Amino acid sequence: MRRVATPLLAGLRLLLALAVAYGTVTADRAFMRLVAAGDEAAQRGDRAQALEAYSGALALLPDAVAPYLKRARLYQSAGQTELALRDLRRAADLDPSSTRPIEWLGDWHLANDRVTRAVDYYRRATALEDRNDRLLVKLSTAQLQSEQADEALATVDRALALRPDAAEARYLRALILRTLGRDREALLVLDDLVASQPGHSPTREALAAVSESLGDYRRAVDELSALSVLEPDRPSRAVAVAIAMTRIGRDADALDVLERARERFPSDADVLATLGHAWLVRAERTADADALQKASALLATATAQQTPSSVALSDWGRVRQLHGDFDGAAAALERAVATPPVAPEAYLRLATVRERRGEPAAARSALEAYAALIGDRAPLVQVSLRLTELCLTLGDAAGAGRWLERAESEATDEPPPDVQTRITSLRRRLAPAP
């Protein structure tokens, strides 16, 4: 009996093994078909069918990494970020030695403004592939966004040691140098990049910004003009050129650029507002009544649109002030200081209008807001003197003393005679009576 049972048992085991093997092969084939179907659906934009196919594949082989990664990308593109994060974490847990899931976790956190966690994941990825320049650039980008500029520079230099000609890494290095206040070094990098990639708009934008920060406004105008030629269908390019030209006193050239832009983009709010600003600048410099009328018409149209900028509202307030309409000016300037990002000059203009309307307390509030917004970026001698006078008008001797001290500390060793005269006069007013 035992002799008969043994071969039968062996046969049963063989049949069982064959059945398992057949089932495994069948499952593998079904898995591959589902993944291929998901890829095809994703390629033609059928997200729902692709998700169904990848989910079906995972039901057959729940430990497969690829479908989790593919499904995560679909979830991310559909805005289902938490589902994407879940799948990425599962993929990383299944294959902790694989770089791709960790890298994509870094991408997810960077895209969702969790830069510190992005740095952690990219660092883990580069530990697995320490000679991957693409991963090093991602790590450096995350470090820069998380305010680790020194570490970002060291990381991007590692990437450039692997690929010295990598344009993305060189551009990133220039941005990091700018963040570190090393503008002249950044300028050299950007100059070299523009020579090799003259049509790369972000490089020219950065070069214009660096040139302006170094006081080379003509170079900034040249770079912005080149951008306007490269991208003629973007009205913002013409606007940027005109603003830069206005800064160096090329008002006529700025007007020409903007008038041509208005012909192409007659309803663009930024073009209208900037052209209005240019005519306003000319009106203030030359007392040209015709220029003021042109500025008034353009800014009235620009600020009547749905979301006017703070700059446009500030200019409209100034136009109303020049027309003697102080109530209209105050209304426009109140809107300007309530519209982010706030144009700093709006507070100065609002303070002037409030003083003219006999509102010293409101004028002081506007000037204090301006001083807080500017901070230490520029001297505030004139503003401090105005605040000193307003405090004295309001009977606030302590406040007047504080602002006068600031004016004195920021005045040069040899301040202009009018500044020195005002300081001396205010100091006398603050002196205690004998």
Side-chain angles (χ1 to χ4, degrees), residues 236-358:
S236 59
R237 295 304 189 196
V239 167
V241 173
I243 291 172
M245 286 177 168
T246 302
R247 288 196 189 104
I248 59 174
R250 291 173 55 182
D251 298 350
D253 291 336
L255 286 168
D256 287 342
V257 168
L258 290 167
E259 290 289 2
R260 289 197 300 271
R262 184 169 62 154
E263 290 174 5
R264 295 197 62 200
F265 313 103
S267 60
D268 187 88
D270 287 339
V271 171
L272 294 173
T274 310
L275 183 55
H277 176 81
W279 281 115
L280 176 60
V281 169
R282 171 170 286 194
E284 291 186 309
R285 286 180 179 172
T286 64
D288 184 340
D290 183 53
L292 181 59
Q293 285 303 118
K294 289 179 178 178
S296 181
L298 288 160
L299 289 165
T301 303
T303 55
Q305 299 200 20
Q306 190 171 6
T307 55
S309 69
S310 179
V311 173
L313 289 165
S314 175
D315 283 343
W316 177 236
R318 176 60 175 158
V319 165
R320 299 319 308 153
Q321 180 187 347
L322 291 173
H323 280 296
D325 177 12
F326 289 96
D327 290 339
L333 292 166
E334 290 285 2
R335 287 180 65 197
V337 299
T339 303
V342 177
E345 68 274 8
Y347 282 113
L348 288 178
R349 290 168 171 170
L350 182 57
T352 299
V353 169
R354 283 171 168 173
E355 281 189 271
R356 289 292 301 269
R357 295 174 70 190

Side-chain angles (χ1 to χ4, degrees), residues 137 232 358 393:
V137 167
T393 299

Side-chain angles (χ1 to χ4, degrees), residues 89-159:
R89 284 174 172 166
R90 178 61 178 155
D93 290 340
L94 287 169
D95 192 359
S97 63
S98 176
T99 305
R100 184 57 58 84
I102 298 170
E103 176 189 352
W104 286 12
L105 277 166
D107 295 345
W108 186 96
H109 283 84
L110 192 64
N112 289 279
D113 295 323
R114 303 181 187 180
V115 290
T116 302
R117 292 290 289 142
V119 169
D120 294 338
Y121 280 114
Y122 288 140
R123 190 173 282 123
R124 283 174 55 188
T126 56
L128 292 170
E129 293 186 32
D130 64 350
R131 296 189 62 79
N132 187 322
D133 63 285
R134 180 178 55 80
L135 287 176
L136 288 167
V137 167
K138 286 189 174 185
L139 173 57
S140 179
T141 300
Q143 288 170 326
L144 178 61
Q145 291 188 25
S146 62
E147 300 181 356
Q148 302 175 42
D150 290 318
E151 293 86 345
L153 183 60
T155 302
V156 80
D157 283 343
R158 284 172 60 196

Side-chain angles (χ1 to χ4, degrees), residues 40-48:
E40 184 182 348
Q43 189 171 9
R44 67 172 182 267
D46 190 343
R47 185 183 294 114

Side-chain angles (χ1 to χ4, degrees), residues 403-418:
W403 284 111
L404 185 55
E405 286 178 5
R406 177 162 181 175
E408 290 173 324
S409 69
E410 293 190 353
T412 59
D413 293 335
E414 294 184 7
D418 61 320

